[in-house]
Amino acid sequence: MRRIVDRSMVFFSVKPLFIILVISLSLSLVVVLISIPSTPFSSNPSATTSSLHSEIWSVRRMFEWRPCKWWLEGHLTALPEETNGYIRVDCYGGLNQMRRDLCDGVGIARLLNATLVLPKFEVAAYWNESSGFADVFDVDYFIQHMKGFINVVKDLPAELESKEPFHVDCSKRKGHFDYIESVLPSLLEHHYISFTPAMSQRRDRYPLYGKAALCQACYKALRLTRALEKKGSELLDAIPKPFMALHLRFEPDMVAYSQCQYSGLSTASMKAIEAAQGDRKPWTGEAARLWRNRGKCPLTPNETALVLRSLVIPRNTNIYLAAGDGLMEIEGFKSVYTNIYTKSVLLSGEDFTNMHGNTKAALDYYVSINSDSYVATYFGNMDKMVAAMRAYKGLYKTLFLNRRAFAEFTSQGLEGKELVKALWKSHTDDFVLGRGSALPDCFCEFKL
Protein backbone atom coordinates (compact mmCIF):
# COMPACT_ATOMS: atom_id res chain seq x y z
CA MET A 1 0.00 0.00 0.00
CA ARG A 2 2.81 2.33 0.81
CA ARG A 3 4.40 1.74 -2.60
CA ILE A 4 1.15 2.72 -4.34
CA VAL A 5 0.91 5.94 -2.35
CA ASP A 6 4.52 6.81 -3.14
CA ARG A 7 3.96 6.35 -6.88
CA SER A 8 0.93 8.56 -6.90
CA MET A 9 2.83 11.22 -5.04
CA VAL A 10 5.64 11.09 -7.61
CA PHE A 11 3.17 11.24 -10.50
CA PHE A 12 1.31 14.26 -9.20
CA SER A 13 4.50 16.07 -8.26
CA VAL A 14 6.07 15.66 -11.73
CA LYS A 15 3.05 16.66 -13.81
CA PRO A 16 3.01 20.35 -12.80
CA LEU A 17 6.74 20.54 -13.47
CA PHE A 18 6.23 19.05 -16.91
CA ILE A 19 3.51 21.60 -17.75
CA ILE A 20 5.73 24.45 -16.56
CA LEU A 21 8.61 23.11 -18.67
CA VAL A 22 6.45 22.91 -21.82
CA ILE A 23 5.17 26.45 -21.34
CA SER A 24 8.73 27.69 -20.76
CA LEU A 25 10.05 26.02 -23.91
CA SER A 26 7.15 27.39 -25.95
CA LEU A 27 7.83 30.92 -24.77
CA SER A 28 11.52 30.48 -25.55
CA LEU A 29 10.72 29.29 -29.06
CA VAL A 30 8.52 32.32 -29.66
CA VAL A 31 11.33 34.62 -28.52
CA VAL A 32 13.82 32.86 -30.83
CA LEU A 33 11.47 33.06 -33.81
CA ILE A 34 10.86 36.74 -33.20
CA SER A 35 14.58 37.42 -32.91
CA ILE A 36 15.55 35.63 -36.19
CA PRO A 37 16.51 38.23 -38.86
CA SER A 38 13.92 38.45 -41.61
CA THR A 39 14.81 36.72 -44.88
CA PRO A 40 14.35 38.39 -48.27
CA PHE A 41 11.02 36.57 -48.52
CA SER A 42 9.50 37.77 -45.26
CA SER A 43 7.82 40.65 -47.09
CA ASN A 44 6.86 38.56 -50.11
CA PRO A 45 3.85 36.29 -49.48
CA SER A 46 4.33 34.52 -52.82
CA ALA A 47 7.77 33.30 -51.74
CA THR A 48 7.11 32.07 -48.20
CA THR A 49 8.02 28.48 -49.06
CA SER A 50 11.69 29.41 -49.34
CA SER A 51 11.69 30.79 -45.81
CA LEU A 52 11.82 27.11 -44.80
CA HIS A 53 15.37 26.99 -46.22
CA SER A 54 18.59 28.48 -44.99
CA GLU A 55 20.68 30.32 -47.56
CA ILE A 56 22.21 28.16 -50.26
CA TRP A 57 25.67 27.99 -48.63
CA SER A 58 24.24 25.77 -45.87
CA VAL A 59 23.42 22.99 -48.37
CA ARG A 60 25.75 19.99 -48.04
CA ARG A 61 27.86 19.37 -51.14
CA MET A 62 28.47 15.91 -52.63
CA PHE A 63 31.37 16.83 -54.94
CA GLU A 64 34.23 19.31 -54.94
CA TRP A 65 36.96 20.17 -57.42
CA ARG A 66 40.49 19.95 -56.05
CA PRO A 67 43.91 20.30 -57.72
CA CYS A 68 44.90 16.99 -59.30
CA LYS A 69 47.63 15.07 -57.47
CA TRP A 70 49.69 14.46 -60.63
CA TRP A 71 50.18 18.22 -60.84
CA LEU A 72 50.67 19.07 -57.17
CA GLU A 73 53.04 16.21 -56.45
CA GLY A 74 55.41 17.55 -59.07
CA HIS A 75 56.58 14.30 -60.68
CA LEU A 76 57.93 16.09 -63.72
CA THR A 77 59.65 14.92 -66.85
CA ALA A 78 63.04 16.64 -66.94
CA LEU A 79 63.39 19.48 -69.41
CA PRO A 80 65.45 18.56 -72.51
CA GLU A 81 68.93 20.06 -72.62
CA GLU A 82 68.33 21.62 -76.04
CA THR A 83 65.42 23.92 -76.87
CA ASN A 84 63.60 23.89 -80.20
CA GLY A 85 63.43 27.68 -80.18
CA TYR A 86 61.67 30.62 -78.57
CA ILE A 87 57.95 31.31 -78.33
CA ARG A 88 56.13 34.53 -77.48
CA VAL A 89 52.44 34.36 -76.65
CA ASP A 90 50.47 37.37 -77.92
CA CYS A 91 47.48 38.01 -75.65
CA TYR A 92 44.42 40.08 -76.57
CA GLY A 93 41.23 41.21 -74.87
CA GLY A 94 40.52 41.77 -71.20
CA LEU A 95 42.77 40.66 -68.36
CA ASN A 96 41.29 37.21 -67.83
CA GLN A 97 41.12 36.42 -71.53
CA MET A 98 44.82 37.29 -71.75
CA ARG A 99 45.51 35.23 -68.64
CA ARG A 100 43.77 32.26 -70.27
CA ASP A 101 45.82 32.68 -73.44
CA LEU A 102 49.02 32.89 -71.40
CA CYS A 103 48.21 29.68 -69.51
CA ASP A 104 47.47 27.88 -72.78
CA GLY A 105 50.64 29.32 -74.32
CA VAL A 106 52.79 27.95 -71.51
CA GLY A 107 51.39 24.47 -72.03
CA ILE A 108 51.97 24.73 -75.79
CA ALA A 109 55.55 25.94 -75.34
CA ARG A 110 56.28 22.96 -73.08
CA LEU A 111 54.60 20.62 -75.55
CA LEU A 112 56.89 21.92 -78.31
CA ASN A 113 60.00 21.93 -76.11
CA ALA A 114 60.38 25.69 -76.52
CA THR A 115 61.68 28.46 -74.30
CA LEU A 116 59.03 31.00 -73.37
CA VAL A 117 59.66 34.70 -73.91
CA LEU A 118 57.64 37.01 -71.65
CA PRO A 119 54.19 37.35 -73.22
CA LYS A 120 52.97 40.41 -75.03
CA PHE A 121 49.78 42.02 -73.76
CA GLU A 122 48.38 43.84 -76.76
CA VAL A 123 47.37 47.48 -76.35
CA ALA A 124 43.62 47.68 -76.85
CA ALA A 125 41.77 50.99 -76.91
CA TYR A 126 38.45 49.09 -76.84
CA TRP A 127 39.31 47.77 -73.35
CA ASN A 128 40.74 51.14 -72.21
CA GLU A 129 44.02 49.29 -71.92
CA SER A 130 47.69 50.07 -72.26
CA SER A 131 49.26 48.04 -69.45
CA GLY A 132 51.57 45.13 -70.21
CA PHE A 133 52.41 41.83 -68.51
CA ALA A 134 54.93 43.41 -66.14
CA ASP A 135 52.39 46.07 -65.10
CA VAL A 136 50.07 43.37 -63.77
CA PHE A 137 52.16 40.33 -62.80
CA ASP A 138 55.36 39.83 -60.82
CA VAL A 139 57.83 38.81 -63.54
CA ASP A 140 60.60 37.46 -61.30
CA TYR A 141 58.11 35.42 -59.26
CA PHE A 142 56.70 33.93 -62.47
CA ILE A 143 60.11 32.92 -63.80
CA GLN A 144 61.17 31.44 -60.46
CA HIS A 145 58.01 29.34 -60.03
CA MET A 146 58.12 27.99 -63.58
CA LYS A 147 61.56 26.41 -63.08
CA GLY A 148 61.42 22.70 -63.79
CA PHE A 149 58.18 23.14 -65.76
CA ILE A 150 59.47 25.38 -68.55
CA ASN A 151 62.30 27.84 -69.15
CA VAL A 152 61.23 31.48 -69.23
CA VAL A 153 63.53 34.34 -70.31
CA LYS A 154 63.26 38.12 -70.15
CA ASP A 155 65.71 38.65 -73.01
CA LEU A 156 66.43 36.83 -76.25
CA PRO A 157 69.92 35.66 -77.25
CA ALA A 158 71.98 38.21 -79.21
CA GLU A 159 71.33 36.62 -82.61
CA LEU A 160 67.54 36.99 -82.16
CA GLU A 161 67.06 40.12 -80.05
CA SER A 162 66.82 42.48 -83.04
CA LYS A 163 64.37 40.26 -84.93
CA GLU A 164 60.59 40.26 -84.86
CA PRO A 165 59.12 36.78 -84.29
CA PHE A 166 57.61 34.88 -87.19
CA HIS A 167 53.87 35.00 -86.55
CA VAL A 168 51.90 31.77 -86.81
CA ASP A 169 48.18 32.32 -87.36
CA CYS A 170 46.16 29.90 -85.24
CA SER A 171 42.85 31.79 -85.37
CA LYS A 172 41.41 30.69 -88.71
CA ARG A 173 41.77 26.94 -88.40
CA LYS A 174 38.66 24.80 -88.33
CA GLY A 175 38.15 21.91 -85.95
CA HIS A 176 40.67 20.91 -83.30
CA PHE A 177 44.02 22.61 -83.66
CA ASP A 178 47.15 20.45 -83.35
CA TYR A 179 50.28 22.42 -82.45
CA ILE A 180 52.80 19.69 -83.14
CA GLU A 181 51.52 19.34 -86.70
CA SER A 182 50.87 23.03 -87.36
CA VAL A 183 53.33 25.08 -85.29
CA LEU A 184 56.40 22.96 -84.59
CA PRO A 185 57.65 23.11 -88.23
CA SER A 186 57.62 26.94 -88.09
CA LEU A 187 59.42 26.93 -84.75
CA LEU A 188 62.18 24.65 -86.08
CA GLU A 189 62.57 26.79 -89.20
CA HIS A 190 62.50 30.30 -87.68
CA HIS A 191 63.64 29.58 -84.08
CA TYR A 192 61.53 32.50 -82.80
CA ILE A 193 57.78 32.57 -83.33
CA SER A 194 54.69 34.24 -81.87
CA PHE A 195 51.06 33.17 -81.82
CA THR A 196 47.74 33.56 -80.02
CA PRO A 197 46.42 30.17 -78.84
CA ALA A 198 43.47 28.79 -80.77
CA MET A 199 40.18 28.35 -78.96
CA SER A 200 39.80 24.83 -80.37
CA GLN A 201 43.16 23.42 -79.39
CA ARG A 202 43.52 19.72 -78.57
CA ARG A 203 44.58 19.46 -74.95
CA ASP A 204 43.72 15.78 -75.00
CA ARG A 205 47.04 15.20 -76.81
CA TYR A 206 49.09 16.97 -74.15
CA PRO A 207 51.41 14.75 -72.10
CA LEU A 208 51.06 15.26 -68.35
CA TYR A 209 54.16 17.44 -68.21
CA GLY A 210 52.56 19.82 -70.73
CA LYS A 211 49.36 20.02 -68.69
CA ALA A 212 51.37 20.44 -65.49
CA ALA A 213 53.18 23.45 -66.97
CA LEU A 214 49.83 25.01 -67.88
CA CYS A 215 48.44 24.42 -64.38
CA GLN A 216 51.57 25.69 -62.65
CA ALA A 217 51.48 28.89 -64.70
CA CYS A 218 47.81 29.56 -64.04
CA TYR A 219 47.52 28.84 -60.33
CA LYS A 220 50.94 28.98 -58.69
CA ALA A 221 53.28 31.13 -60.78
CA LEU A 222 51.07 34.12 -61.59
CA ARG A 223 51.09 36.66 -58.76
CA LEU A 224 50.09 40.31 -59.01
CA THR A 225 52.81 42.92 -58.70
CA ARG A 226 53.57 44.06 -55.16
CA ALA A 227 51.95 47.43 -55.87
CA LEU A 228 48.72 45.80 -57.13
CA GLU A 229 48.61 43.31 -54.26
CA LYS A 230 49.01 46.18 -51.80
CA LYS A 231 46.15 48.06 -53.46
CA GLY A 232 44.05 44.88 -53.56
CA SER A 233 44.70 44.25 -49.86
CA GLU A 234 43.71 47.85 -49.10
CA LEU A 235 40.46 47.31 -50.99
CA LEU A 236 39.81 43.97 -49.29
CA ASP A 237 40.31 45.51 -45.84
CA ALA A 238 37.82 48.28 -46.63
CA ILE A 239 34.93 45.88 -47.35
CA PRO A 240 32.78 45.00 -44.29
CA LYS A 241 33.01 41.30 -43.41
CA PRO A 242 31.67 38.79 -44.16
CA PHE A 243 30.91 39.67 -47.77
CA MET A 244 29.90 38.16 -51.09
CA ALA A 245 31.63 39.11 -54.36
CA LEU A 246 29.15 39.36 -57.23
CA HIS A 247 30.37 39.44 -60.83
CA LEU A 248 27.44 41.12 -62.52
CA ARG A 249 27.58 41.39 -66.32
CA PHE A 250 25.08 43.79 -67.86
CA GLU A 251 27.13 46.29 -69.84
CA PRO A 252 26.02 47.69 -73.23
CA ASP A 253 28.65 45.77 -75.23
CA MET A 254 27.83 42.51 -73.42
CA VAL A 255 24.10 42.85 -74.10
CA ALA A 256 24.70 43.91 -77.71
CA TYR A 257 27.02 40.94 -78.29
CA SER A 258 24.43 38.53 -76.82
CA GLN A 259 21.85 39.58 -79.47
CA CYS A 260 19.12 39.39 -76.83
CA GLN A 261 16.04 41.56 -76.52
CA TYR A 262 14.89 43.04 -73.19
CA SER A 263 11.71 44.82 -72.22
CA GLY A 264 11.34 47.37 -69.47
CA LEU A 265 14.83 48.86 -69.73
CA SER A 266 15.37 52.60 -69.32
CA THR A 267 15.69 54.84 -72.35
CA ALA A 268 19.35 55.49 -71.50
CA SER A 269 20.09 51.75 -71.38
CA MET A 270 18.34 51.11 -74.70
CA LYS A 271 20.31 53.89 -76.38
CA ALA A 272 23.60 52.56 -74.98
CA ILE A 273 22.81 49.05 -76.25
CA GLU A 274 21.82 50.31 -79.71
CA ALA A 275 25.04 52.32 -79.94
CA ALA A 276 27.06 49.18 -79.18
CA GLN A 277 25.19 46.88 -81.60
CA GLY A 278 26.67 47.91 -84.92
CA ASP A 279 25.74 45.25 -87.46
CA ARG A 280 24.98 42.70 -84.75
CA LYS A 281 21.19 42.94 -84.46
CA PRO A 282 19.14 41.11 -81.81
CA TRP A 283 17.21 37.96 -82.59
CA THR A 284 13.47 38.27 -83.09
CA GLY A 285 10.41 36.03 -82.89
CA GLU A 286 10.87 32.30 -82.31
CA ALA A 287 14.64 32.54 -82.80
CA ALA A 288 14.82 35.02 -79.91
CA ARG A 289 12.83 32.69 -77.64
CA LEU A 290 15.00 29.67 -78.47
CA TRP A 291 18.18 31.73 -78.01
CA ARG A 292 17.07 32.92 -74.57
CA ASN A 293 16.00 29.43 -73.50
CA ARG A 294 19.50 28.19 -74.31
CA GLY A 295 20.78 30.50 -71.60
CA LYS A 296 22.47 32.95 -73.96
CA CYS A 297 21.06 36.13 -72.43
CA PRO A 298 22.81 37.96 -69.56
CA LEU A 299 20.71 38.33 -66.42
CA THR A 300 19.59 41.88 -65.71
CA PRO A 301 20.35 43.31 -62.25
CA ASN A 302 16.63 42.94 -61.41
CA GLU A 303 16.64 39.28 -62.47
CA THR A 304 19.84 38.73 -60.50
CA ALA A 305 18.21 40.13 -57.36
CA LEU A 306 15.23 37.83 -57.87
CA VAL A 307 17.47 34.75 -58.17
CA LEU A 308 19.51 35.71 -55.10
CA ARG A 309 16.31 36.16 -53.11
CA SER A 310 15.17 32.69 -54.19
CA LEU A 311 18.45 31.36 -52.76
CA VAL A 312 17.68 33.08 -49.44
CA ILE A 313 20.63 35.44 -49.63
CA PRO A 314 19.70 38.04 -46.96
CA ARG A 315 18.99 41.58 -48.08
CA ASN A 316 21.54 42.96 -45.64
CA THR A 317 24.40 40.89 -47.15
CA ASN A 318 27.55 42.90 -47.79
CA ILE A 319 28.11 42.65 -51.55
CA TYR A 320 31.23 43.68 -53.42
CA LEU A 321 30.24 44.44 -57.00
CA ALA A 322 32.98 43.16 -59.32
CA ALA A 323 31.99 44.96 -62.47
CA GLY A 324 33.05 47.60 -64.95
CA ASP A 325 31.96 51.22 -64.95
CA GLY A 326 29.31 50.75 -67.65
CA LEU A 327 26.90 48.57 -65.66
CA MET A 328 23.26 49.32 -66.55
CA GLU A 329 20.01 49.11 -64.57
CA ILE A 330 21.84 48.73 -61.25
CA GLU A 331 19.25 50.82 -59.37
CA GLY A 332 16.79 47.91 -59.32
CA PHE A 333 19.36 45.63 -57.71
CA LYS A 334 20.35 48.25 -55.13
CA SER A 335 16.71 48.69 -54.11
CA VAL A 336 16.78 45.06 -52.90
CA TYR A 337 20.39 44.68 -51.73
CA THR A 338 21.48 47.94 -50.15
CA ASN A 339 24.95 47.10 -48.76
CA ILE A 340 26.80 47.46 -52.07
CA TYR A 341 30.52 48.26 -52.33
CA THR A 342 32.66 49.03 -55.38
CA LYS A 343 36.33 49.76 -55.93
CA SER A 344 35.59 53.24 -57.27
CA VAL A 345 33.87 54.18 -53.99
CA LEU A 346 36.23 52.44 -51.56
CA LEU A 347 39.46 53.56 -53.23
CA SER A 348 40.39 57.09 -54.07
CA GLY A 349 43.40 59.05 -55.10
CA GLU A 350 45.26 59.66 -58.32
CA ASP A 351 46.90 56.23 -58.27
CA PHE A 352 43.46 54.62 -58.64
CA THR A 353 41.95 57.02 -61.14
CA ASN A 354 44.98 56.55 -63.42
CA MET A 355 44.60 52.76 -63.47
CA HIS A 356 43.83 51.09 -66.80
CA GLY A 357 41.42 48.25 -67.56
CA ASN A 358 43.78 45.37 -66.73
CA THR A 359 44.90 46.74 -63.39
CA LYS A 360 41.34 47.56 -62.34
CA ALA A 361 40.23 44.08 -63.39
CA ALA A 362 43.12 42.67 -61.33
CA LEU A 363 41.65 44.31 -58.22
CA ASP A 364 38.25 42.69 -58.87
CA TYR A 365 40.00 39.35 -59.36
CA TYR A 366 41.99 39.73 -56.12
CA VAL A 367 38.90 40.58 -54.05
CA SER A 368 36.82 37.84 -55.68
CA ILE A 369 39.26 35.01 -54.93
CA ASN A 370 39.47 36.18 -51.31
CA SER A 371 35.76 36.78 -50.70
CA ASP A 372 33.65 34.73 -48.29
CA SER A 373 31.42 33.70 -51.20
CA TYR A 374 31.42 34.33 -54.93
CA VAL A 375 28.46 34.47 -57.31
CA ALA A 376 28.72 34.97 -61.06
CA THR A 377 25.86 35.82 -63.41
CA TYR A 378 27.88 34.70 -66.42
CA PHE A 379 30.42 31.96 -67.26
CA GLY A 380 33.19 34.04 -68.78
CA ASN A 381 36.96 33.98 -68.47
CA MET A 382 37.05 35.82 -65.15
CA ASP A 383 34.40 33.57 -63.63
CA LYS A 384 36.25 30.41 -64.65
CA MET A 385 39.58 31.72 -63.37
CA VAL A 386 38.12 32.93 -60.07
CA ALA A 387 36.21 29.67 -59.48
CA ALA A 388 39.31 27.57 -60.17
CA MET A 389 41.51 29.74 -57.97
CA ARG A 390 38.98 29.58 -55.14
CA ALA A 391 38.94 25.78 -55.49
CA TYR A 392 42.74 25.82 -55.34
CA LYS A 393 42.53 27.83 -52.10
CA GLY A 394 39.84 25.51 -50.68
CA LEU A 395 37.03 28.09 -50.89
CA TYR A 396 33.89 26.37 -52.12
CA LYS A 397 31.14 28.96 -51.63
CA THR A 398 31.12 29.58 -55.36
CA LEU A 399 28.06 29.57 -57.60
CA PHE A 400 27.20 30.39 -61.21
CA LEU A 401 23.62 31.61 -61.63
CA ASN A 402 21.79 29.40 -64.10
CA ARG A 403 20.59 31.64 -66.95
CA ARG A 404 19.15 28.72 -68.88
CA ALA A 405 17.02 27.55 -65.95
CA PHE A 406 15.79 31.08 -65.32
CA ALA A 407 14.79 31.52 -68.98
CA GLU A 408 13.03 28.15 -69.15
CA PHE A 409 11.07 28.70 -65.94
CA THR A 410 9.90 32.18 -66.87
CA SER A 411 9.01 31.10 -70.42
CA GLN A 412 6.84 28.38 -68.86
CA GLY A 413 4.95 31.11 -67.02
CA LEU A 414 6.24 30.25 -63.57
CA GLU A 415 6.05 33.11 -61.09
CA GLY A 416 5.81 33.77 -57.36
CA LYS A 417 6.09 30.70 -55.14
CA GLU A 418 6.46 28.26 -58.05
CA LEU A 419 9.30 30.23 -59.66
CA VAL A 420 11.12 30.57 -56.34
CA LYS A 421 10.83 26.83 -55.68
CA ALA A 422 12.10 25.93 -59.16
CA LEU A 423 15.06 28.34 -58.94
CA TRP A 424 15.99 27.03 -55.50
CA LYS A 425 16.01 23.42 -56.71
CA SER A 426 17.99 24.02 -59.91
CA HIS A 427 20.68 26.07 -58.13
CA THR A 428 21.01 23.80 -55.11
CA ASP A 429 21.38 20.83 -57.47
CA ASP A 430 24.23 22.67 -59.21
CA PHE A 431 25.85 23.57 -55.88
CA VAL A 432 25.52 20.04 -54.45
CA LEU A 433 27.18 18.52 -57.51
CA GLY A 434 29.85 21.23 -57.79
CA ARG A 435 28.93 22.08 -61.37
CA GLY A 436 31.18 24.60 -63.06
CA SER A 437 33.38 25.10 -60.00
CA ALA A 438 36.79 24.60 -61.61
CA LEU A 439 38.64 23.94 -64.86
CA PRO A 440 38.94 20.20 -65.61
CA ASP A 441 42.44 20.57 -67.09
CA CYS A 442 44.03 21.09 -63.67
CA PHE A 443 41.36 19.97 -61.18
CA CYS A 444 39.89 16.59 -60.39
CA GLU A 445 36.41 15.85 -59.04
CA PHE A 446 36.45 14.71 -55.43
CA LYS A 447 33.46 12.96 -53.86
CA LEU A 448 32.79 14.03 -50.28
Side-chain angles (χ1 to χ4, degrees):
M1 182 72 181
R2 184 172 180 176
R3 291 181 63 186
I4 296 173
V5 172
D6 287 345
R7 285 180 179 178
S8 63
M9 288 177 64
V10 171
F11 173 78
F12 288 108
S13 63
V14 170
K15 187 173 181 181
L17 290 174
F18 177 76
I19 294 172
I20 293 170
L21 181 61
V22 169
I23 294 173
S24 176
L25 288 172
S26 300
L27 289 172
S28 299
L29 181 60
V30 170
V31 171
V32 169
L33 290 173
I34 292 174
S35 64
I36 293 175
S38 62
T39 70
F41 302 97
S42 57
S43 60
N44 184 357
S46 67
T48 52
T49 53
S50 281
S51 62
L52 299 175
H53 301 297
S54 299
E55 59 183 338
I56 190 169
W57 311 125
S58 66
V59 176
R60 183 179 179 275
R61 299 172 67 91
M62 293 177 59
F63 294 93
E64 289 176 356
W65 288 86
R66 299 180 181 178
C68 299
K69 288 184 177 179
W70 55 259
W71 161 43
L72 288 183
E73 290 177 354
H75 299 308
L76 301 176
T77 302
L79 292 172
E81 293 184 6
E82 296 291 330
T83 179
N84 285 332
Y86 295 83
I87 282 180
R88 188 187 75 192
V89 184
D90 294 345
C91 306
Y92 294 84
L95 174 64
N96 291 287
Q97 180 178 333
M98 291 195 285
R99 184 190 182 106
R100 180 205 67 199
D101 287 346
L102 170 60
C103 297
D104 287 339
V106 168
I108 296 161
R110 180 65 182 94
L111 178 70
L112 302 181
N113 182 28
T115 299
L116 187 73
V117 180
L118 287 180
K120 181 181 181 183
F121 280 15
E122 292 292 344
V123 174
Y126 179 80
W127 295 95
N128 184 28
E129 190 49 59
S130 62
S131 51
F133 180 78
D135 296 310
V136 180
F137 298 111
D138 187 326
V139 172
D140 292 331
Y141 186 89
F142 179 72
I143 294 174
Q144 177 65 29
H145 282 74
M146 289 311 300
K147 285 185 176 178
F149 291 87
I150 191 173
N151 289 324
V152 184
V153 297
K154 294 181 182 179
D155 302 306
L156 289 163
E159 65 271 18
L160 295 175
E161 62 182 356
S162 62
K163 294 183 178 180
E164 279 296 308
F166 177 82
H167 185 72
V168 180
D169 184 7
C170 305
S171 62
K172 298 180 180 179
R173 310 298 178 106
K174 294 183 178 180
H176 289 301
F177 191 85
D178 189 292
Y179 287 91
I180 292 178
E181 295 174 359
S182 304
V183 178
L184 183 57
S186 295
L187 176 65
L188 294 174
E189 179 182 355
H190 298 281
H191 305 294
Y192 179 30
I193 66 171
S194 68
F195 64 86
T196 298
M199 290 292 291
S200 57
Q201 61 184 293
R202 295 201 62 159
R203 291 198 187 114
D204 59 315
R205 294 190 180 184
Y206 283 23
L208 280 185
Y209 59 79
K211 291 183 179 179
L214 182 156
C215 299
Q216 179 76 1
C218 252
Y219 306 111
K220 292 184 87 171
L222 279 180
R223 184 176 74 177
L224 299 181
T225 63
R226 292 186 182 277
L228 268 180
E229 281 214 341
K230 182 180 178 182
K231 186 62 67 177
S233 180
E234 179 185 335
L235 178 57
L236 191 62
D237 290 342
I239 304 170
K241 312 297 187 298
F243 76 97
M244 179 180 80
L246 174 66
H247 191 210
L248 183 55
R249 300 299 313 271
F250 202 69
E251 301 93 345
D253 60 303
M254 168 63 69
V255 176
Y257 182 79
S258 73
Q259 296 183 273
C260 295
Q261 288 186 331
Y262 292 87
S263 60
L265 299 186
S266 68
T267 302
S269 295
M270 293 301 297
K271 286 183 178 179
I273 294 168
E274 289 172 5
Q277 279 175 346
D279 297 330
R280 200 179 184 90
K281 300 302 180 184
W283 296 104
T284 59
E286 181 65 9
R289 187 188 70 81
L290 293 173
W291 188 249
R292 180 172 290 276
N293 282 357
R294 288 177 59 192
K296 298 295 185 179
C297 298
L299 292 174
T300 70
N302 278 335
E303 291 169 343
T304 300
L306 191 156
V307 178
L308 293 183
R309 291 182 69 192
S310 76
L311 304 180
V312 202
I313 303 298
R315 289 188 180 189
N316 61 354
T317 299
N318 296 315
I319 297 177
Y320 175 80
L321 206 56
D325 298 329
L327 197 59
M328 302 182 297
E329 305 291 313
I330 191 60
E331 295 77 12
F333 184 85
K334 288 183 175 179
S335 68
V336 179
Y337 291 95
T338 55
N339 295 341
I340 304 297
Y341 303 89
T342 62
K343 54 186 175 296
S344 59
V345 171
L346 294 174
L347 296 178
S348 58
E350 189 175 342
D351 58 338
F352 174 71
T353 55
N354 289 337
M355 281 185 173
H356 292 280
N358 278 348
T359 47
K360 286 184 177 180
L363 294 181
D364 282 341
Y365 171 82
Y366 182 87
V367 171
S368 295
I369 65 173
N370 288 291
S371 59
D372 297 286
S373 57
Y374 178 77
V375 173
T377 63
Y378 206 67
F379 195 54
N381 292 307
M382 176 173 170
D383 307 310
K384 294 172 185 176
M385 289 291 182
V386 168
M389 197 65 194
R390 287 177 61 81
Y392 176 72
K393 292 164 66 75
L395 301 172
Y396 293 103
K397 289 184 178 180
T398 302
L399 185 68
F400 295 95
L401 299 190
N402 194 326
R403 291 169 293 150
R404 181 170 186 168
F406 181 85
E408 288 179 350
F409 296 151
T410 51
S411 70
Q412 292 167 11
L414 296 185
E415 57 184 14
K417 187 186 302 183
E418 288 74 21
L419 177 58
V420 165
K421 185 177 179 180
L423 288 171
W424 168 266
K425 186 178 187 311
S426 67
H427 285 84
T428 50
D429 286 348
D430 288 347
F431 186 67
V432 166
L433 297 175
R435 290 174 183 150
S437 294
L439 301 180
D441 291 309
C442 306
F443 292 82
C444 296
E445 199 174 64
F446 182 86
K447 186 173 183 180
L448 300 178

